[in-house]
Amino acid sequence: MDPQPKVLQVLLDAAPEWREAKGLRRAKAVRCCQALCGLRWAAEGEAAGGLCFTARCPDSGRCCRRNVAARAGSFIAFVWETTETLQASPSRERVLALNSCNDLGIYELHVQDGICDVANTHSCSNEALKRIVESKNLSLPSSFTMKILSFKSSKSCILLDNCMLLHLTWLEGTSEAADLGGFKLCLPSGTPERITDSQICQEMLFLLDSTGWIYIYDSVDGKRLGSINLSLCHDGETGEANDVCNLSCLNRLWLSHDLKVAVVVNSFNFAVCVNLNTFFRMHPEYLQRMSKACDDAPLKAPAGIDEDDLASSVYSDKVLNLSFQTDRSWKARLGAFYNQTKVPSAKGFLQGSPWYHRASCLNSNDASCQLRFHKSPVVLHDDAAKSFGQKEDLNSRANKLSGMVQLQGLKESMSVEIVSVSEFSVLFTLVAPDSGAATVVFWDLETQEEKYHHIDSHSLPVEGDGKDELCLFLTDAGLSMVVFAFSQEDLLNRLMIYGKAGIVDSVCHLNHWNRCSIPIHALEAGIENRQLDMVDFFLKSKEKLFCAPAGFLVQEHSEAVMTSSMQLTNVEEIKPALDLLCSAIRVNDSETQSKQFSEQLLNLTLTFLNKQMQELLEQPGELDNYKHKCVDYLTGYITKLRKFMKKYPRTPPNETVSSDCLDEENALPDDNQFYGKWKNLNTDEIVRDAILNNQIPRAQGYFTAQQKPMKNLNVLMQAGLNLTYDCLLQKDLQEARQLLKNMGFDVKRQLHRICCYTDDRDLRDFLVENLQDYLSVEEQEMVKFAHLVENLYSSSPHNEKCSLHSSLLQVENTDASSAAILEQIVSQENVTAECPERDPNSCVIILDWAKWWDNVAKERIMLSRKLDVAIQSCSPEVLWTYLTSRHCWAKVCDWIEASQSSGNSANWPPLTPNAVNQNTCCSSYMRNEILNKLARKGVFIPSELEDFRQLLVRLSCTQGLMQDPHPVPVYKSTDGLDFHSTFILYCLEHELRYLLYAYLDYYGLKPSNCPSLADRTLHVAHPWFEFLMRIREVADAVGGTSVTFQASLANAQMLIPSNQASVSSMLLEGHTLMALA
């Protein structure tokens, strides 16, 4: 298995309503994407964009869509309403939307009978909002910002101008918002202008300062709970990073649902992850201590009580949560300390609790710490030593769940749109605003590894409710999901365990996947829970029992046997599942209350078995031993299950069937006219009469009573075909047609098959004459050619001199399958020789043989009997192959002579070198003789022209290399050189000095007419070649001192090949005599 996490893109819904992603610019889903709302781009003719609602009806499953336009401006943000309780089949959802004019409105979505209806039930204008703020003794500027933080159970939380928190409630029966409270947050000076993002989670408000701070406030009373200095989280890493890691450009903030992890992103797509438990454990001073002011204030006793009185001490003990003891002895103090170690204190309780529990306790005067945030699990450690031992492990693991990462999108213009945060991973979605391409990044906080998945086509990310870490997209194909660390089989198995088989089947159908292999224990669970969809999906996943794997080609017999064995293995592997189904059907059939389930299970199983049997029997080829076993297995299960079918004939209870009953059952009624007539007929006559009178079933019953093999339908049909063939031999076409028709065959098709495969010449001609309208033009031409060949070979005297058997004995290394066919032909020849009524010299051509003859085969057949006539019309390649294969030397010579002369060329087709090169089929001796004869006439085949050495050998065997004119006047090597240049290189390579000298003198080659002779590269590589050229120049220019001097230097270079020859170099090396010479 691949150790790397896998990435899988799954299509969830392909309805047309989910495919219009290009018209939206932001989307949010609710209830596992049962409903979706998006900000719609302004269409043509619209001033501003609106909201687009898409939902699926829970009853009918159909999708619907409805667009809503804003009353003023355009919508810029919206939030789905969340509730405390989950509804079984919700049909009403509400959205709180904000437009560009800072107007709020609630839009209620009703889905019923596949129709969406959206109504604006509540609204709050900009002026009404200002009046509510002014009633709280707060003021807003003329231009202010607004963000919807939450909308839960008809209550919403609004952040105004990044510094005011307003709680609104939307009551039933009213169309306006009601005030629940509001206050201004105590932010440092200048902070509201730097707030770039805000989130609310578990009644805590988180504000992101672009300078690298996160401020935490209580959303109920506005008290400051703490702050996070991001520069303290990764000082070592950011110090060495570039400007991309700058923490002063932060613009987005996301939190995990359990408030354990916070993720911030800057404008350069640089992400920072902070584990809040680790941060506040290392920096507890950043949790605001609101009770400190109370501790510093002096305690005042109640009025009327003296401070030195015991009642004052009791009051102080109750307020400060201190245990006052009157016994101040040393033993009493030790006992108190011992009891404190045994009882879990609030401090010990808080060490294992999340950070916000400590923040809650610090804001309370009650040490019992009545926690308001009850949703996060807290583990109480009764054993203090165990908690202390696990402290270091928890800290080291928590440190790993933080880090920084630079996100690499598919395009540089991508920006982070959606982030899904959990305790151990973060899922980023980056989108390119111009093309709509997206990049999904999976960041594993434990291993600090990132995995990327790119979507090139236009896609729109869908934001969820924050509880589930889902990555949803709207694409041109529909609603899709990207899953990391999952393979296709893993996903389907999870859906099978936690969902339904129908869902798995639908996902496989949408994504064009093959159904995964389901384990048998899933089938057991489906039968036990009576989940018919699980049983149906299991059987559908096993439908490919007899299909070869992709790319598996059956080419040889051994591979065919291996395929059959694989099919048998597949059937044997599914036998335990079939046994389980049979057992379940038998058990449930015996119970009255489970009868219906048993019938449904029986229907699914029999449908599967019959379909597999049909696929097996429809495969080409005959059944081998492996396939016969498959048929036996499937037939056994069908027979076993057939008795559970409705209206199956069963023997009544307490009754036995005796032999007398069997004889009585097999007895034939005497009043049947056919039975009375058939008693006096033989078997063939009974079969003929039954077929002609459409009494085949009655004939089967008759033969069953007689205990004859004809009771089998296949045997009876074969006997009917034999009778049909006998009728055709007797030229009784009418009865043959009637027999084929009553047996259910296609009459013309069967007669055509008999015509093509029969070896009876008269029967074939008879059928051809009666099937003129059914035969194609090609088949009619094939019949004419078959007649021509039969006439040629039947009247040929060769048949009298040479028998087929004697010629077959000369065949060597014959293939086994071909040998069987030849032996059959020999046996037929012997039978023909024993039958005096059949002409032994007659030739019969089976039309199925002639169907595979191409034009080349037909020409070869004609050449064997009419050589002189077929020479002029035959192609040169076929004629040359025929003559050379039979070693007809005289005719080959005549053809070669005719091709070189114009007098007798009309009797022979033109002979080309390519025809000789590719179609010579004779012995090597005759081939050399043919090539020698052609070479004397200046004709060379292409294969020898490509091999220069072989060309020289051919020239040496014929007329020699040095001739006038040149024996190969037109020559060009593969390197583009002429014959002279190629020969010079050949001599240089093989050190043929004297042959080269003689060749150059014979043809008078000089540097002026042969450029290869002046090639300095050849002179340097072969010094003797340069010396040879200088000597020839001396011979041509007698008395030239400079030429003689150059020849001397070339001679010195040949004797001293190490350095460049010159007088000074010879003197320096001590060759004085050579320099004087």
Side-chain angles (χ1 to χ4, degrees):
M1 296 180 61
D2 188 6
Q4 298 296 330
K6 310 172 187 65
V7 183
L8 190 64
Q9 185 171 347
V10 187
L11 180 62
L12 300 179
D13 198 335
E17 289 78 7
W18 303 105
R19 300 178 184 177
E20 300 181 7
K22 295 182 180 179
L24 304 177
R25 55 189 173 95
R26 189 180 179 186
K28 290 184 179 181
V30 69
R31 278 192 294 110
C32 297
C33 222
Q34 289 295 319
L36 182 141
C37 182
L39 296 178
R40 183 170 53 88
W41 293 103
E44 295 183 2
E46 293 182 355
L51 293 177
C52 179
F53 290 89
T54 304
R56 178 177 291 276
C57 182
D59 299 329
S60 61
R62 292 183 298 174
C63 293
C64 57
R65 169 168 289 198
R66 179 62 60 91
N67 295 326
V68 177
R71 294 183 177 180
S74 60
F75 290 108
I76 59 176
F78 63 91
V79 174
W80 284 100
E81 182 184 18
T82 59
T83 57
E84 292 287 348
T85 60
L86 296 177
Q87 301 178 11
S89 59
S91 60
R92 185 176 74 99
E93 297 291 344
R94 297 199 300 177
V95 167
L96 178 60
L98 173 68
N99 61 14
S100 57
C101 299
N102 287 338
D103 297 335
L104 293 172
I106 292 181
Y107 295 87
E108 189 170 323
L109 172 66
H110 290 270
V111 181
Q112 187 174 7
D113 298 332
I115 300 176
C116 294
D117 185 19
V118 181
N120 186 5
T121 59
H122 298 78
S123 62
C124 182
S125 63
N126 188 9
E127 292 76 12
L129 195 64
K130 287 183 177 180
R131 289 194 297 268
I132 294 176
V133 172
E134 291 174 356
S135 65
K136 299 297 181 183
N137 296 326
L138 300 174
S139 62
L140 282 174
S142 58
S143 177
F144 61 92
T145 61
M146 181 187 300
K147 182 177 181 180
I148 306 174
L149 295 177
S150 65
F151 183 32
K152 182 178 180 181
S153 300
S154 301
K155 299 178 182 178
S156 60
C157 185
I158 312 297
L159 181 64
L160 301 174
D161 215 21
N162 293 331
C163 62
M164 298 181 189
L165 205 60
L166 185 63
H167 293 274
L168 301 177
T169 180
W170 310 84
L171 301 176
E172 296 288 342
T174 61
S175 60
E176 295 182 355
D179 174 30
L180 278 182
F183 45 82
K184 189 173 183 180
L185 302 175
C186 297
L187 290 171
S189 177
T191 302
E193 291 78 9
R194 300 193 306 268
I195 298 298
T196 57
D197 199 3
S198 56
Q199 297 286 337
I200 192 169
C201 186
Q202 295 194 19
E203 299 183 5
M204 289 187 182
L205 175 63
F206 293 80
L207 300 177
L208 176 63
D209 192 339
S210 60
T211 59
W213 284 83
I214 300 177
Y215 301 104
I216 309 173
Y217 289 87
D218 192 333
S219 63
V220 177
D221 53 12
K223 294 181 180 179
R224 184 171 176 178
L225 302 180
S227 59
I228 302 172
N229 187 0
L230 296 175
S231 61
L232 299 177
C233 301
H234 309 282
D235 290 336
E237 299 180 20
T238 56
E240 300 176 359
N242 51 17
D243 295 337
V244 177
C245 306
N246 190 2
L247 297 180
S248 62
C249 302
L250 304 175
N251 56 3
R252 300 297 298 273
L253 168 67
W254 288 272
L255 297 163
S256 63
H257 190 66
D258 54 4
L259 286 179
K260 292 184 179 180
V261 178
V263 175
V264 293
V265 179
N266 65 4
S267 57
F268 304 103
N269 294 336
F270 183 79
V272 178
C273 179
V274 180
N275 187 284
L276 299 182
N277 287 331
T278 304
F279 178 81
F280 287 115
R281 188 180 299 115
M282 298 175 61
H283 307 282
E285 66 274 9
Y286 284 92
L287 280 176
Q288 197 72 19
R289 298 179 178 270
M290 300 298 295
S291 62
K292 185 175 180 180
C294 300
D295 294 339
D296 295 338
L299 290 177
K300 294 181 179 180
I305 299 179
D306 189 6
E307 294 183 357
D308 296 332
D309 194 358
L310 184 61
S312 177
S313 299
V314 173
Y315 172 78
S316 300
D317 175 47
K318 185 176 181 181
V319 172
L320 299 177
N321 194 24
L322 297 176
S323 58
F324 179 76
Q325 294 181 353
T326 57
D327 188 0
R328 310 294 297 173
S329 64
W330 178 250
K331 184 176 180 181
R333 297 291 295 172
L334 287 179
F337 290 147
Y338 178 77
N339 293 331
Q340 290 180 5
T341 59
K342 290 298 182 181
V343 178
S345 61
K347 182 178 180 181
F349 170 77
L350 292 173
Q351 285 181 354
S353 63
W355 62 272
Y356 47 82
H357 287 175
R358 283 176 280 169
S360 175
C361 289
L362 291 174
N363 292 319
S364 175
N365 290 329
D366 187 4
S368 61
C369 190
Q370 301 294 330
L371 298 179
R372 176 178 51 200
F373 309 100
H374 58 277
K375 293 185 179 181
S376 296
V378 179
V379 180
L380 297 178
H381 300 284
D382 295 335
D383 193 348
K386 181 178 179 181
S387 300
F388 181 78
Q390 293 179 348
K391 183 176 180 180
E392 294 184 1
D393 295 338
L394 294 174
N395 289 338
S396 61
R397 185 183 182 189
N399 290 333
K400 294 182 180 180
L401 302 181
S402 303
M404 301 186 300
V405 62
Q406 176 62 51
L407 304 176
Q408 303 292 336
L410 184 63
K411 297 182 179 180
E412 295 182 357
S413 60
M414 282 186 169
S415 60
V416 179
E417 291 292 333
I418 297 178
V419 175
S420 180
V421 187
S422 68
E423 184 179 359
F424 305 104
S425 63
V426 184
L427 205 59
F428 300 92
T429 302
L430 292 81
V431 179
D434 51 353
S435 62
T439 296
V440 185
V441 185
F442 177 79
W443 185 17
D444 191 339
L445 298 180
E446 289 188 313
T447 61
Q448 293 296 318
E449 293 183 357
E450 311 106 50
K451 299 298 175 183
Y452 289 82
H453 177 70
H454 302 291
I455 302 177
D456 297 332
S457 59
H458 190 280
S459 58
L460 177 69
V462 178
E463 185 177 352
D465 54 6
K467 296 180 181 180
D468 298 324
E469 191 176 354
L470 299 178
C471 186
L472 301 174
F473 286 90
L474 290 179
T475 62
D476 295 337
L479 180 63
S480 302
M481 178 178 65
V482 177
V483 184
F484 286 85
F486 266 91
S487 64
Q488 174 183 331
E489 186 173 357
D490 295 337
L491 177 64
L492 295 180
N493 286 335
R494 291 290 183 92
L495 289 176
M496 183 64 66
I497 295 173
Y498 299 106
K500 295 183 179 180
I503 298 177
V504 180
D505 200 11
S506 177
V507 171
C508 293
H509 176 71
L510 285 174
N511 295 273
H512 305 286
W513 293 344
N514 293 327
R515 295 182 176 92
C516 64
S517 179
I518 305 174
I520 192 172
H521 61 77
L523 176 63
E524 290 185 47
I527 295 175
E528 184 177 355
N529 299 325
R530 301 198 173 187
Q531 297 175 337
L532 289 174
D533 57 345
M534 177 76 73
V535 178
D536 183 39
F537 189 78
F538 177 86
L539 295 176
K540 286 181 179 179
S541 67
K542 304 296 183 181
E543 285 181 348
K544 305 298 182 180
L545 291 178
F546 306 113
C547 294
F552 187 84
L553 299 178
V554 179
Q555 297 178 353
E556 298 181 359
H557 180 68
S558 60
E559 294 184 358
V561 173
M562 184 182 64
T563 305
S564 301
S565 63
M566 291 172 58
Q567 294 175 352
L568 178 60
T569 303
N570 294 337
V571 174
E572 290 177 346
E573 288 178 353
I574 203 177
K575 283 180 62 179
L578 294 176
D579 293 336
L580 179 63
L581 289 169
C582 293
S583 176
I585 293 171
R586 183 179 63 254
V587 172
N588 289 277
D589 185 75
S590 60
E591 301 175 1
T592 306
Q593 65 274 14
S594 304
K595 195 79 173 179
Q596 185 178 2
F597 176 70
S598 175
E599 293 175 356
Q600 294 172 338
L601 205 60
L602 175 65
N603 185 25
L604 292 175
T605 309
L606 283 179
T607 302
F608 170 78
L609 292 172
N610 291 328
K611 185 176 181 180
Q612 298 307 309
M613 180 72 78
Q614 180 181 357
E615 291 183 359
L616 177 61
L617 297 179
E618 286 180 352
Q619 291 182 355
E622 298 181 358
L623 298 179
D624 54 12
N625 294 332
Y626 297 105
K627 292 184 178 180
H628 271 297
K629 289 185 179 179
C630 295
V631 172
D632 294 339
Y633 286 144
L634 297 177
T635 306
Y637 284 109
I638 293 175
T639 305
K640 185 186 301 183
L641 295 175
R642 190 176 295 172
K643 62 182 180 180
F644 296 104
M645 297 174 63
K646 289 183 178 180
K647 299 182 181 180
Y648 183 80
R650 292 179 172 85
T651 303
N654 301 325
E655 289 189 11
T656 57
V657 181
S658 62
S659 59
D660 297 336
C661 295
L662 290 175
D663 296 339
E664 184 178 348
E665 182 181 351
N666 293 333
L668 298 174
D670 295 334
D671 56 348
N672 192 288
Q673 57 177 349
F674 291 102
Y675 293 158
K677 182 174 62 174
W678 290 345
K679 290 181 180 180
N680 303 321
L681 301 178
N682 57 26
T683 302
D684 292 339
E685 292 174 347
I686 295 174
V687 171
R688 175 181 172 276
D689 185 74
I691 295 175
L692 291 176
N693 293 282
N694 288 326
Q695 298 296 323
I696 295 178
R698 197 179 297 276
Q700 283 186 272
Y702 179 82
F703 288 127
T704 301
Q706 300 293 330
Q707 295 297 321
K708 290 185 178 181
M710 288 296 173
K711 65 182 180 180
N712 191 337
L713 181 60
N714 293 331
V715 178
L716 193 146
M717 297 293 285
Q718 185 61 44
L721 291 175
N722 294 336
L723 292 174
T724 303
Y725 190 76
D726 294 338
C727 291
L728 292 175
L729 291 178
Q730 298 172 8
K731 304 298 188 293
D732 190 355
L733 184 60
Q734 185 66 28
E735 184 174 337
R737 287 176 179 271
Q738 190 65 31
L739 288 172
L740 291 174
K741 179 181 178 181
N742 291 353
M743 284 189 292
F745 292 105
D746 187 345
V747 177
K748 288 187 176 181
R749 184 178 179 184
Q750 290 299 322
L751 293 177
H752 182 268
R753 292 185 62 186
I754 295 173
C755 179
C756 290
Y757 290 98
T758 184
D759 60 347
D760 191 292
R761 184 172 179 177
D762 296 335
L763 176 58
R764 183 200 64 195
D765 295 340
F766 172 72
L767 292 176
V768 167
E769 181 181 354
N770 289 274
L771 294 174
Q772 288 294 330
D773 298 337
Y774 194 72
L775 296 177
S776 62
V777 178
E778 293 80 5
E779 289 175 337
Q780 293 178 4
E781 294 294 331
M782 179 181 63
V783 171
K784 293 179 181 180
F785 183 76
H787 286 161
L788 179 60
V789 173
E790 288 173 347
N791 295 331
L792 287 176
Y793 280 77
S794 297
S795 60
S796 174
H798 293 80
N799 291 338
E800 300 177 1
K801 298 180 181 179
C802 181
S803 65
L804 180 62
H805 182 71
S806 60
S807 62
L808 287 175
L809 294 178
Q810 300 175 5
V811 179
E812 296 180 358
N813 298 327
T814 307
D815 183 60
S817 58
S818 302
I821 298 176
L822 293 177
E823 290 178 359
Q824 183 179 1
I825 295 175
V826 172
S827 61
Q828 291 179 357
E829 183 190 19
N830 296 333
V831 173
T832 304
E834 295 176 358
C835 298
E837 65 275 6
R838 185 167 181 176
D839 187 4
N841 295 327
S842 63
C843 176
V844 179
I845 300 298
I846 298 178
L847 294 183
D848 188 65
W849 294 356
K851 179 177 66 176
W852 305 102
W853 292 344
D854 55 3
N855 293 331
V856 175
K858 291 179 181 179
E859 290 178 356
R860 290 177 180 176
I861 292 172
M862 295 300 295
L863 284 173
S864 299
R865 290 296 179 265
K866 286 189 176 184
L867 177 60
D868 298 333
V869 178
I871 282 178
Q872 297 180 356
S873 61
C874 185
S875 64
E877 291 80 6
V878 176
L879 181 58
W880 184 261
T881 301
Y882 176 79
L883 295 178
T884 54
S885 62
R886 285 162 176 75
H887 293 77
C888 299
W889 173 251
K891 293 188 179 296
V892 169
C893 292
D894 293 343
W895 193 359
I896 294 175
E897 295 295 338
S899 63
Q900 299 299 320
S901 61
S902 59
N904 195 27
S905 60
N907 297 329
W908 294 92
L911 181 62
T912 60
N914 285 329
V916 177
N917 186 36
Q918 299 177 3
N919 299 279
T920 302
C921 301
C922 60
S923 63
S924 59
Y925 173 78
M926 183 175 176
R927 185 175 185 274
N928 286 327
E929 292 296 326
I930 293 174
L931 296 180
N932 289 339
K933 190 173 186 62
L934 292 174
R936 293 187 184 98
K937 297 183 178 298
V939 179
F940 300 92
I941 61 176
S943 61
E944 292 195 345
L945 291 176
E946 295 175 357
D947 189 355
F948 190 75
R949 181 180 180 281
Q950 184 62 31
L951 180 59
L952 294 179
V953 172
R954 185 64 59 196
L955 290 174
S956 64
C957 294
T958 55
Q959 51 188 352
L961 179 62
M962 302 176 192
Q963 300 177 22
D964 191 15
H966 196 280
V968 191
V970 180
Y971 177 82
K972 190 174 184 179
S973 67
T974 55
D975 298 331
L977 303 177
D978 57 358
F979 189 89
H980 295 313
S981 300
T982 307
F983 184 77
I984 292 171
L985 294 178
Y986 183 82
C987 292
L988 292 176
E989 182 181 356
H990 295 84
E991 298 289 335
L992 303 177
R993 306 180 182 182
Y994 300 104
L995 178 60
L996 179 59
Y997 187 85
Y999 184 84
L1000 297 177
D1001 280 350
Y1002 183 83
Y1003 289 106
L1005 298 179
K1006 299 179 181 179
S1008 59
N1009 56 13
C1010 185
S1012 298
L1013 297 177
D1015 191 351
R1016 291 295 304 168
T1017 305
L1018 298 178
H1019 292 176
V1020 174
H1022 305 278
W1024 63 268
F1025 178 58
E1026 182 183 5
F1027 177 67
L1028 185 148
M1029 296 304 301
R1030 300 302 180 189
I1031 291 298
R1032 296 187 74 251
E1033 290 178 0
V1034 171
D1036 293 339
V1038 180
T1041 57
S1042 61
V1043 177
T1044 305
F1045 179 72
Q1046 293 295 331
S1048 301
L1049 290 179
N1051 186 21
Q1053 178 65 32
M1054 185 175 62
L1055 296 176
I1056 311 174
S1058 59
N1059 297 321
Q1060 183 65 31
S1062 63
V1063 177
S1064 58
S1065 63
M1066 286 186 285
L1067 290 175
L1068 290 175
E1069 293 180 3
H1071 302 288
T1072 308
L1073 295 178
M1074 186 176 293
L1076 294 175

